Amino acid sequence: LVGDLSLVVEQVMNKRTKYTQSKMKLKDINSLLDELAALNPNKRLRKYKCKGNKENIRPNEANNTNLAKMREEWFRKVIHEKRLSPLEHKWLVRIIMKKSEFGIRSASILRAYSPYANGLLAADGNLKRMCDKLAGPDFE
């Protein structure tokens, strides 16, 4: 588990979710990834509409802070609304981390799962212990 964020995400989601399989199709996952790619300021993609983008502006016209918030919102939507299984979370994280065009770093992914994740990881440096703490009752 050490050093593999996707495996740690799968382990944490095993403890936190009751879903064993989602009803999402490959085209749905592809659409989600297109939304995420549209939030990269270095790409000129279609407009993306979300709570943080009320003006429906193109990502390259937005400032980086707004884009970071929009990406975090995207992750929250995927985590809380799409009802993916732990295995599906693992593979989604692997896809995102492999594709640099999404402009996502592990800190953004961790922040979407928990606002305490980056602080705990910085203090301890152990990804597994951080996830064990976050999976506990103190952080639900």
Side-chain angles (χ1 to χ4, degrees):
L1 288 180
V2 176
D4 190 338
L5 178 62
S6 65
L7 290 176
V8 175
V9 165
E10 181 184 29
Q11 181 185 41
V12 170
M13 294 309 289
N14 271 323
K15 295 176 184 176
R16 289 191 168 208
T17 186
K18 61 185 178 210
Y19 305 110
T20 56
Q21 187 175 11
S22 73
K23 295 183 179 179
M24 292 190 73
K25 306 276 188 233
L26 186 57
K27 68 178 183 173
D28 301 324
I29 297 292
N30 193 47
S31 293
L32 283 172
L33 293 171
D34 284 345
E35 288 177 8
L36 181 60
L39 296 175
N40 185 341
N42 299 323
K43 298 284 180 187
R44 291 189 174 269
L45 298 172
R46 62 182 165 81
K47 293 181 178 183
Y48 176 64
K49 195 167 196 158
C50 68
K51 282 188 239 171
N53 191 7
K54 290 185 172 82
E55 301 83 27
N56 202 22
I57 57 175
R58 292 189 183 279
N60 58 337
E61 297 169 1
N63 64 40
N64 287 337
T65 304
N66 190 34
L67 286 174
K69 288 179 183 178
M70 289 165 45
R71 285 191 294 255
E72 285 181 35
E73 180 188 322
W74 181 90
F75 271 104
R76 282 189 192 94
K77 175 177 78 171
V78 169
I79 293 166
H80 299 294
E81 295 174 18
K82 298 303 176 185
R83 298 180 175 161
L84 299 175
S85 72
L87 181 64
E88 291 165 326
H89 276 279
K90 174 181 87 171
W91 282 103
L92 188 62
V93 168
R94 285 185 174 177
I95 290 167
I96 291 167
M97 296 300 291
K98 186 76 173 173
K99 299 290 269 177
S100 61
E101 66 194 47
F102 291 125
I104 299 293
R105 294 202 169 112
S106 59
S108 298
I109 294 172
L110 289 174
R111 192 170 34 254
Y113 280 96
S114 171
Y116 306 105
N118 286 307
L120 288 171
L121 185 60
D124 186 295
N126 186 310
L127 194 58
K128 182 170 178 2
R129 272 197 298 265
M130 177 212 65
C131 289
D132 288 341
K133 287 178 186 176
L134 290 175
D138 294 341
F139 289 98
E140 288 185 20

